[in-house]
Amino acid sequence: MVSKSAGEIGIGMLGYAFMGKAHSNAFKKISYITWPPPLEPRLVGIAGRDTEAVGEAAKRYGYEYATGDWRELIADDRIGLFDNGGPNSLHAEPTIAAAQAGKHVICEKPLGRDANESYDIWQAVAATGVKHLCAFNYRFVPAVRLAREMIEAGELGEIRHFRGRYLQDWADDPSLDTWRFDPDAAGSGAMGDIGTHVIDLARFLNGEIKTVSGFVKTFVEGRKVDDALEAAVEFDNGSVGTIEGTRLALGRRNAFQWEINGSKGSLAFDMERLNELQVFRADGERARGFKTVLVSETNHPFWEYWWPPGHIIGWGDTFVHELHHVLKSIADDTDIAPYGATFEDGYRAAEVADAIVRSGETGQRETISYRT
Ligand SMILES: NC(=O)c1ccc[n+]([C@@H]2O[C@H](COP(=O)([O-])OP(=O)(O)OC[C@H]3O[C@@H](n4cnc5c(N)ncnc54)[C@H](O)[C@@H]3O)[C@@H](O)[C@H]2O)c1
């Protein structure tokens, strides 16, 4: 008989729309793509506001029940992992309640609506001893993990620059009405939504950010959250860089691009071509320029789960890697860090984001102090 996984874990999902769908899809795929899974995810319950729509979602994704009250998930002993894909204002209370009920927790980014709320979530959840992951899924793109491994191995030498920009254009419509434009629900605009992704990958690839000088701008009349942010940053390792995010870059749909330059070479990446890593090595190859590495070899990160080389994967598969990482950490009792973002990482990203906002308001460079 084929050996199966060590056991199963009940999943409680909050939210059934964009992230609810992406995470549910990943939990289902983990069961057979990463065979044998570290723990078999059992889709127990899903919560939302609209009971008819959440009932439909439960049927569609395969949850055993749907509820209009997330507290039902917290009270359900069959649920061992609570996954929060709700709007930002709904991150703190349910996530803390789940952890205090002894459930491991995943919370979508940004962790809280600002650094204070993010810090409180981190502290309350860490005190319970459960595993916690803040869902910065771009850490789980194979090319991004490969870049991290190359940087860690010293292949780029001394890092001098990190340049990251996340460009979208969907918000260029004054008639759009979404929780993402409501400061109470979202906390901020492009900053929390996509700026924090750039901050997290900057930290993931190049270490801690020490100082920032930035500004934040709203272009669309009447909008109460920011549309765009720009910052010059300095890292603990002495390198310098830029962080940019906008939801108004017309024609750019989901262009999360970064480049890192060291004394021995450079790496560059574009989310819209997520299977590729651009690699430049200074030694002896200077005249040849950047080389495109198709990150799909069997020895490349995460490729043990997938297809023969060259049979590429997609955006949704980053969640398979991310949630698999959580299940493995639970099964083996290993740390979510350093490859997964913990709630401390979620908090630190928020601290950088707040510093960019403050710097924009005062016109002064901000030195960031991280709470412990
Ligand atoms: N990691 C990523 O790349 C990524 C991408 C998109 C969104 N996100 C994050 O995921 C979270 C959710 O975003 P989304 O795009 O899925 O939003 P969405 O609007 O598509 O879905 C939000 C879900 O929350 C539910 N909800 C809203 N208010 C509720 C309430 N009061 N009680 C119960 N349920 C409620 C809605 O019914 C819906 O199912 C946000 O924090 C967002 O920043 C992360």
Side-chain angles (χ1 to χ4, degrees):
M1 199 176 133
V2 181
S3 73
K4 264 200 93 180
S5 56
E8 66 173 23
I9 185 162
I11 309 297
M13 183 80 224
L14 171 57
Y16 55 82
F18 186 18
M19 283 305 105
K21 184 177 178 181
H23 287 221
S24 301
N25 175 55
F27 280 126
K28 292 174 86 95
K29 278 193 178 179
I30 283 169
S31 292
Y32 52 89
I33 287 287
T34 71
W35 187 265
L39 287 167
E40 178 85 42
R42 172 178 164 195
L43 303 184
V44 176
I46 186 162
R49 266 173 318 181
D50 176 338
T51 43
E52 199 179 316
V54 75
E56 191 72 26
K59 253 190 247 157
R60 175 179 181 185
Y61 304 141
Y63 286 87
E64 291 166 25
Y65 69 87
T67 173
D69 183 358
W70 55 263
R71 288 170 188 81
E72 210 180 312
L73 304 181
I74 310 295
D76 189 336
D77 289 339
R78 293 170 301 166
I79 291 173
L81 175 58
F82 178 76
D83 187 348
N84 194 333
N88 306 346
S89 53
L90 211 60
H91 285 183
E93 194 189 353
T95 306
I96 293 170
Q100 288 176 343
K103 300 178 198 313
H104 302 290
V105 287
I106 295 168
C107 184
E108 262 303 340
K109 45 53 56 181
L111 183 57
R113 285 166 291 182
D114 58 17
N116 287 339
E117 189 174 58
S118 303
Y119 180 76
D120 291 346
I121 299 172
W122 167 41
Q123 289 296 300
V125 169
T128 67
V130 303
K131 306 283 181 203
H132 44 89
L133 172 124
C134 183
F136 285 114
N137 57 306
Y138 294 120
R139 290 181 177 217
F140 291 89
V141 174
V144 172
R145 175 69 75 84
L146 181 63
R148 159 99 185 213
E149 289 174 6
M150 291 172 73
I151 294 163
E152 261 176 346
E155 291 186 39
L156 295 196
E158 181 192 292
I159 305 299
R160 293 162 179 165
H161 303 284
F162 172 88
R163 225 167 278 114
R165 54 186 208 174
Y166 200 151
L167 313 176
Q168 297 182 339
D169 67 355
W170 62 269
D172 186 42
D173 177 356
S175 69
L176 259 185
D177 184 20
T178 148
W179 65 264
R180 286 181 159 82
F181 298 147
D182 171 2
D184 286 340
S188 63
M191 176 61 87
D193 190 13
I194 52 181
T196 53
H197 269 305
V198 187
I199 293 166
D200 183 67
L201 270 203
R203 295 183 60 249
F204 184 62
L205 294 171
N206 197 28
E208 207 53 85
I209 294 172
K210 192 158 77 176
T211 71
V212 301
S213 177
F215 57 81
V216 169
K217 182 139 183 160
T218 303
F219 291 92
V220 176
E221 214 181 308
R223 186 163 291 163
K224 296 191 177 71
V225 295
D226 60 276
D227 288 318
L229 60 116
E230 309 280 344
V233 304
E234 180 188 14
F235 293 84
D236 270 356
N237 65 8
S239 63
V240 294
T242 54
I243 285 174
E244 177 179 17
T246 174
R247 303 191 291 198
L248 298 182
L250 294 188
R252 299 293 181 200
R253 310 297 285 153
N254 194 37
F256 185 1
Q257 306 163 339
W258 54 259
E259 177 163 322
I260 186 158
N261 313 120
S263 56
K264 293 187 185 170
S266 297
L267 299 174
F269 173 82
D270 183 347
M271 188 60 211
E272 290 182 340
R273 306 192 66 84
L274 78 87
N275 289 272
E276 298 176 359
L277 186 64
Q278 304 292 321
V279 180
F280 175 81
R281 293 182 196 276
D283 50 334
E285 288 191 63
R286 203 172 272 273
R288 294 195 194 164
F290 273 89
K291 185 167 99 180
T292 301
V293 175
L294 191 63
V295 186
S296 68
E297 296 298 327
T298 45
N299 64 345
H300 281 152
F302 308 112
W303 270 87
E304 75 254 38
Y305 308 132
W306 296 104
W307 322 116
H311 297 71
I312 56 178
I313 61 166
W315 172 87
D317 297 321
T318 63
F319 296 91
V320 174
H321 307 155
E322 178 178 59
L323 303 184
H324 177 272
H325 181 73
V326 176
L327 297 184
K328 191 148 175 51
S329 300
I330 296 169
D332 299 349
D333 193 18
T334 50
D335 290 338
I336 294 287
Y339 294 115
T342 64
F343 281 10
E344 180 172 12
D345 291 304
Y347 153 68
R348 286 183 171 235
E351 198 69 82
V352 177
D354 280 15
I356 294 172
V357 174
R358 281 197 306 277
S359 165
E361 285 164 359
T362 62
Q364 302 292 311
R365 171 164 288 268
E366 286 272 332
T367 299
I368 303 171
S369 56
Y370 298 97
R371 292 166 250 181
T372 51

